Amino acid sequence: MRLDVVTIFPEYLEPLNVSLVGKARARGRLDVHVHDLRQWTYDRHNTVDDTPYGGGPGMVMKTEPWGDALDSVLADGYEAGAGEPALIVPTPSGRPFTQDVAVQLSERPWLIFTPARYEGIDRRVVDEYATRMPVNEVSIGDYVLAGGEAAVLVVTEAVARLLPGVLGNAESHRDDSFAPGAMANLLEGPVYTKPPAWRGRDIPDVLLSGHHGKIARWRRDEALRRTTANRPDLIERCGPEAFDKKDREMLSILGWEPDPEGALHGRFWRRTPGVEQ
Ligand code: ADE
């Protein structure tokens, strides 16, 4: 997979040289190109922004540097045989970046990221390139960062670990929290390693039992416990058939029950009224 990032802070992308993404690059699974947007400015001050039409606070990134940068990146990638590009525009106004989106992006040969600073990029840039390639405006969460570079790191790491040959074990991400296609999207429960006793804290006995069925059941129960506590919205969204008998028993212990009116509003599970969580 080829990645291009155009930014006014190339040094912000240094983490792409380390850890998992760095390894993916070293193994030849990822071909990363970071570009300084100011390379495509031609005035003395290397201007990339200007005041917004219509007034208002902040500055807007100008069309010309982005247009020239993207034309150049596209020409270079096509020449190198990078395949069909997709433009990834990190913005708090984008669609939520989820594991599903990460999986979809991991199947593409070439991603071009345009992290913006200030109030964002002149809209005409996205409109222009949307006529030539798929454009994904993605938000990594409901908060506003000072720029999109951190979002590029987030998206890149989530995508890179899905590429074949990057994680040692091909099954490693099958059980990820949020892995698509799972019956119910549950958060993963706690994990433990040696030593077996630490500061008076022991490992749950079941994990030492060697009984695979019991261990699987315990992990599932802990996933239900953590999900009801931290992401009740994920439980509410599960269909009526998402949970087996043992799941339902655990949910009942945790103070959850099927919502008798689920079919009306699409949330099939609810906290049992009057039961403390
Ligand atoms: N740029 C600023 N905030 C952002 C967010 N939440 N997600 C993606 N890009 C951003």
Side-chain angles (χ1 to χ4, degrees):
M1 170 182 280
R2 174 169 166 139
L3 296 184
D4 286 271
V5 186
V6 183
T7 169
I8 58 169
F9 292 122
E11 63 278 19
Y12 207 121
L13 283 304
E14 279 293 311
L16 295 180
N17 292 318
V18 297
S19 188
L20 177 129
V21 177
K23 254 184 235 150
R25 293 177 79 170
R27 287 186 188 162
R29 293 297 305 124
L30 263 186
D31 176 23
V32 179
H33 302 253
V34 177
H35 314 269
D36 186 345
L37 179 67
R38 294 196 201 273
Q39 214 184 305
W40 291 279
T41 56
Y42 308 102
D43 64 316
R44 231 164 27 98
H45 301 289
N46 301 115
T47 310
V48 293
D49 60 336
D50 207 336
T51 53
Y53 276 119
M59 300 291 271
V60 174
M61 296 192 94
K62 291 163 67 61
T63 50
E64 298 99 323
W66 279 110
D68 289 355
L70 290 173
D71 287 350
S72 164
V73 165
L74 284 167
D76 192 64
Y78 280 127
E79 202 183 329
E84 286 300 304
L87 196 63
I88 315 299
V89 183
T91 161
S93 318
R95 295 218 179 116
F97 180 66
T98 60
Q99 189 67 19
D100 279 358
V101 177
V103 169
Q104 283 165 28
L105 296 183
S106 74
E107 286 159 4
R108 303 204 59 104
W110 181 13
L111 305 176
I112 304 173
F113 292 91
T114 59
R117 293 268 145 180
Y118 317 111
E119 298 300 309
I121 305 173
D122 186 307
R123 185 69 203 174
R124 290 170 292 180
V125 175
V126 167
D127 293 345
E128 165 76 9
Y129 290 92
T131 66
R132 306 193 210 166
M133 68 192 79
V135 173
N136 292 264
E137 292 182 278
V138 295
S139 166
I140 60 163
D142 290 343
Y143 38 78
V144 179
L145 301 166
E149 284 77 5
V152 172
L153 295 176
V154 167
V155 172
T156 303
E157 186 156 323
V159 169
R161 65 187 286 284
L162 298 174
L163 298 176
V166 171
L167 280 193
N169 175 358
E171 303 226 313
S172 299
H173 44 75
R174 194 199 50 202
D175 301 333
D176 289 347
S177 298
F178 316 114
M183 280 240 303
N185 263 327
L186 301 180
L187 305 184
E188 282 180 41
V191 293
Y192 300 87
T193 186
K194 290 168 266 311
W198 179 73
R199 298 189 183 177
R201 296 169 185 277
D202 295 335
I203 307 294
D205 285 339
V206 60
L207 296 181
L208 307 173
S209 70
H211 192 301
H212 298 302
K214 282 191 183 148
I215 291 173
R217 186 63 247 166
W218 180 86
R219 289 196 168 134
R220 180 90 178 160
D221 287 347
E222 291 304 308
L224 288 165
R225 192 189 301 282
R226 195 174 266 191
T227 311
T228 52
N230 294 352
R231 292 292 304 277
D233 58 304
L234 293 179
I235 302 283
E236 287 170 355
R237 248 184 271 156
C238 285
E241 311 306 326
F243 301 116
D244 66 15
K245 186 159 166 283
K246 290 263 163 56
D247 292 339
R248 287 164 185 255
E249 279 168 25
M250 186 63 189
L251 283 168
S252 168
I253 291 166
L254 295 167
W256 283 72
E257 65 177 20
D259 188 327
E261 266 148 38
L264 288 178
H265 50 241
R267 291 186 307 278
F268 295 95
W269 298 87
R270 67 174 188 187
R271 290 191 175 88
T272 308
V275 169
E276 215 170 294
Q277 308 294 318

